[in-house]
Structures are given as structure tokens and as C-alpha cells.
Tab-separated table of all heavy atoms in Angstrom:
chain	number	residue	atom	x	y	z
A	1	LEU	N	-46.362	52.122	20.891
A	1	LEU	CA	-46.134	52.226	22.336
A	1	LEU	C	-47.059	51.300	23.120
A	1	LEU	O	-46.667	50.763	24.161
A	1	LEU	CB	-46.330	53.676	22.784
A	1	LEU	CG	-45.271	54.683	22.306
A	1	LEU	CD1	-45.681	56.094	22.666
A	1	LEU	CD2	-43.912	54.353	22.889
A	2	VAL	N	-48.275	51.099	22.630
A	2	VAL	CA	-49.204	50.204	23.320
A	2	VAL	C	-48.785	48.748	23.154
A	2	VAL	O	-48.761	47.964	24.114
A	2	VAL	CB	-50.642	50.431	22.797
A	2	VAL	CG1	-51.585	49.356	23.337
A	2	VAL	CG2	-51.137	51.813	23.203
A	3	GLU	N	-48.439	48.373	21.909
A	3	GLU	CA	-48.140	46.967	21.633
A	3	GLU	C	-46.735	46.570	22.075
A	3	GLU	O	-46.534	45.460	22.580
A	3	GLU	CB	-48.308	46.700	20.139
A	3	GLU	CG	-49.741	46.910	19.637
A	3	GLU	CD	-49.829	46.844	18.128
A	3	GLU	OE1	-48.762	46.609	17.480
A	3	GLU	OE2	-50.935	47.033	17.588
A	4	GLN	N	-45.751	47.451	21.872
A	4	GLN	CA	-44.369	47.096	22.151
A	4	GLN	C	-43.930	47.458	23.574
A	4	GLN	O	-43.219	46.681	24.223
A	4	GLN	CB	-43.435	47.774	21.132
A	4	GLN	CG	-43.783	47.486	19.685
A	4	GLN	CD	-43.624	46.030	19.322
A	4	GLN	OE1	-42.831	45.293	19.930
A	4	GLN	NE2	-44.360	45.577	18.314
A	5	ALA	N	-44.320	48.649	24.025
A	5	ALA	CA	-43.870	49.114	25.343
A	5	ALA	C	-44.883	48.849	26.452
A	5	ALA	O	-44.552	49.021	27.623
A	5	ALA	CB	-43.543	50.610	25.286
A	6	GLY	N	-46.108	48.477	26.103
A	6	GLY	CA	-47.115	48.208	27.120
A	6	GLY	C	-47.710	49.448	27.765
A	6	GLY	O	-48.237	49.369	28.876
A	7	TRP	N	-47.658	50.593	27.082
A	7	TRP	CA	-48.209	51.821	27.633
A	7	TRP	C	-49.724	51.866	27.446
A	7	TRP	O	-50.300	51.097	26.676
A	7	TRP	CB	-47.586	53.047	26.959
A	7	TRP	CG	-46.170	53.315	27.328
A	7	TRP	CD1	-45.313	52.471	27.965
A	7	TRP	CD2	-45.441	54.510	27.056
A	7	TRP	NE1	-44.088	53.054	28.123
A	7	TRP	CE2	-44.137	54.319	27.570
A	7	TRP	CE3	-45.740	55.707	26.449
A	7	TRP	CZ2	-43.159	55.286	27.481
A	7	TRP	CZ3	-44.775	56.688	26.350
A	7	TRP	CH2	-43.490	56.477	26.871
A	8	SER	N	-50.337	52.804	28.138
A	8	SER	CA	-51.730	53.169	27.909
A	8	SER	C	-51.728	54.567	27.290
A	8	SER	O	-51.368	55.551	27.960
A	8	SER	CB	-52.518	53.157	29.223
A	8	SER	OG	-53.832	53.641	29.017
A	9	VAL	N	-52.106	54.659	26.023
A	9	VAL	CA	-51.990	55.907	25.271
A	9	VAL	C	-53.389	56.373	24.865
A	9	VAL	O	-54.185	55.593	24.333
A	9	VAL	CB	-51.105	55.731	24.025
A	9	VAL	CG1	-50.947	57.061	23.290
A	9	VAL	CG2	-49.746	55.170	24.415
A	10	ASP	N	-53.678	57.642	25.128
A	10	ASP	CA	-54.938	58.277	24.736
A	10	ASP	C	-54.655	59.343	23.689
A	10	ASP	O	-53.674	60.103	23.804
A	10	ASP	CB	-55.633	58.924	25.943
A	10	ASP	CG	-56.088	57.892	26.959
A	10	ASP	OD1	-56.547	56.816	26.539
A	10	ASP	OD2	-55.981	58.172	28.172
A	11	LEU	N	-55.527	59.410	22.670
A	11	LEU	CA	-55.442	60.468	21.667
A	11	LEU	C	-56.279	61.654	22.123
A	11	LEU	O	-57.416	61.484	22.587
A	11	LEU	CB	-55.936	59.969	20.309
A	11	LEU	CG	-55.104	58.871	19.629
A	11	LEU	CD1	-55.673	58.553	18.254
A	11	LEU	CD2	-53.653	59.285	19.506
A	12	ALA	N	-55.713	62.855	21.995
A	12	ALA	CA	-56.387	64.075	22.441
A	12	ALA	C	-56.862	64.882	21.237
A	12	ALA	O	-56.231	64.883	20.177
A	12	ALA	CB	-55.444	64.926	23.304
A	13	HIS	N	-57.969	65.580	21.422
A	13	HIS	CA	-58.514	66.459	20.385
A	13	HIS	C	-57.661	67.723	20.306
A	13	HIS	O	-57.559	68.465	21.299
A	13	HIS	CB	-59.960	66.817	20.712
A	13	HIS	CG	-60.697	67.452	19.585
A	13	HIS	ND1	-60.438	68.733	19.151
A	13	HIS	CD2	-61.683	66.974	18.779
A	13	HIS	CE1	-61.234	69.031	18.138
A	13	HIS	NE2	-62.005	67.978	17.898
A	14	PRO	N	-57.034	68.022	19.158
A	14	PRO	CA	-56.122	69.181	19.103
A	14	PRO	C	-56.824	70.506	19.366
A	14	PRO	O	-56.261	71.392	20.015
A	14	PRO	CB	-55.549	69.115	17.679
A	14	PRO	CG	-55.780	67.718	17.219
A	14	PRO	CD	-57.035	67.273	17.892
A	15	GLY	N	-58.069	70.660	18.858
A	15	GLY	CA	-58.768	71.925	19.047
A	15	GLY	C	-59.098	72.210	20.502
A	15	GLY	O	-58.887	73.323	21.003
A	16	TYR	N	-59.593	71.207	21.223
A	16	TYR	CA	-59.930	71.400	22.628
A	16	TYR	C	-58.677	71.581	23.490
A	16	TYR	O	-58.688	72.343	24.464
A	16	TYR	CB	-60.753	70.227	23.142
A	16	TYR	CG	-62.169	70.213	22.611
A	16	TYR	CD1	-62.609	69.206	21.767
A	16	TYR	CD2	-63.068	71.219	22.957
A	16	TYR	CE1	-63.900	69.199	21.272
A	16	TYR	CE2	-64.366	71.218	22.478
A	16	TYR	CZ	-64.772	70.203	21.627
A	16	TYR	OH	-66.054	70.205	21.137
A	17	VAL	N	-57.598	70.890	23.136
A	17	VAL	CA	-56.351	71.070	23.888
A	17	VAL	C	-55.835	72.496	23.732
A	17	VAL	O	-55.354	73.112	24.686
A	17	VAL	CB	-55.297	70.043	23.426
A	17	VAL	CG1	-53.935	70.346	24.039
A	17	VAL	CG2	-55.733	68.628	23.805
A	18	HIS	N	-55.954	73.038	22.516
A	18	HIS	CA	-55.503	74.418	22.294
A	18	HIS	C	-56.335	75.408	23.109
A	18	HIS	O	-55.801	76.410	23.618
A	18	HIS	CB	-55.604	74.749	20.808
A	18	HIS	CG	-55.199	76.152	20.464
A	18	HIS	ND1	-53.889	76.581	20.513
A	18	HIS	CD2	-55.941	77.231	20.080
A	18	HIS	CE1	-53.835	77.868	20.173
A	18	HIS	NE2	-55.064	78.275	19.904
A	19	ARG	N	-57.626	75.150	23.244
A	19	ARG	CA	-58.469	76.051	24.034
A	19	ARG	C	-58.159	75.971	25.528
A	19	ARG	O	-58.367	76.949	26.261
A	19	ARG	CB	-59.943	75.717	23.799
A	19	ARG	CG	-60.413	75.982	22.379
A	19	ARG	CD	-61.843	75.517	22.177
A	19	ARG	NE	-62.250	75.629	20.782
A	19	ARG	CZ	-63.430	75.237	20.316
A	19	ARG	NH1	-64.317	74.697	21.145
A	19	ARG	NH2	-63.712	75.364	19.042
A	20	LEU	N	-57.700	74.816	25.977
A	20	LEU	CA	-57.390	74.664	27.396
A	20	LEU	C	-56.065	75.313	27.787
A	20	LEU	O	-55.785	75.454	28.974
A	20	LEU	CB	-57.355	73.174	27.761
A	20	LEU	CG	-58.708	72.450	27.747
A	20	LEU	CD1	-58.513	70.952	27.939
A	20	LEU	CD2	-59.623	73.007	28.830
A	21	LYS	N	-55.251	75.690	26.788
A	21	LYS	CA	-53.983	76.351	27.106
A	21	LYS	C	-54.255	77.745	27.638
A	21	LYS	O	-55.012	78.523	27.070
A	21	LYS	CB	-53.089	76.439	25.863
A	21	LYS	CG	-52.364	75.161	25.529
A	21	LYS	CD	-51.259	75.410	24.515
A	21	LYS	CE	-50.159	76.251	25.104
A	21	LYS	NZ	-48.993	76.388	24.192
A	22	GLN	N	-53.641	78.074	28.748
A	22	GLN	CA	-53.800	79.393	29.353
A	22	GLN	C	-52.715	80.366	28.905
A	22	GLN	O	-52.881	81.569	29.028
A	22	GLN	CB	-53.790	79.271	30.872
A	22	GLN	CG	-54.928	78.426	31.431
A	22	GLN	CD	-54.880	78.324	32.939
A	22	GLN	OE1	-53.961	78.836	33.574
A	22	GLN	NE2	-55.879	77.679	33.511
A	23	SER	N	-51.622	79.855	28.383
A	23	SER	CA	-50.525	80.719	27.957
A	23	SER	C	-50.577	80.918	26.445
A	23	SER	O	-50.816	79.967	25.702
A	23	SER	CB	-49.171	80.099	28.348
A	23	SER	OG	-48.102	80.853	27.812
A	24	PRO	N	-50.369	82.145	25.964
A	24	PRO	CA	-50.361	82.366	24.517
A	24	PRO	C	-49.121	81.803	23.824
A	24	PRO	O	-49.108	81.661	22.607
A	24	PRO	CB	-50.418	83.895	24.390
A	24	PRO	CG	-49.796	84.390	25.667
A	24	PRO	CD	-50.163	83.390	26.718
A	25	ASP	N	-48.077	81.521	24.593
A	25	ASP	CA	-46.843	80.993	24.017
A	25	ASP	C	-47.048	79.528	23.626
A	25	ASP	O	-47.582	78.732	24.399
A	25	ASP	CB	-45.687	81.094	25.008
A	25	ASP	CG	-45.398	82.541	25.388
A	25	ASP	OD1	-45.674	83.433	24.558
A	25	ASP	OD2	-44.935	82.778	26.517
């Protein structure tokens, strides 16, 4: 996506993203 589509893509830490979720679903 960065090389072909010209996007700016960031990788996120899965553990911290899961903790930031407020919904159990």
C-alpha cells in the first residue's frame, strides 16, 4: 500500500489496541 498506492501506513501493537477497546464484543 505504501509503494503502490502511496498510502501512509502505521503498524499498531495488537496488545495495546485490545486494551483500548471499550466494548467486549
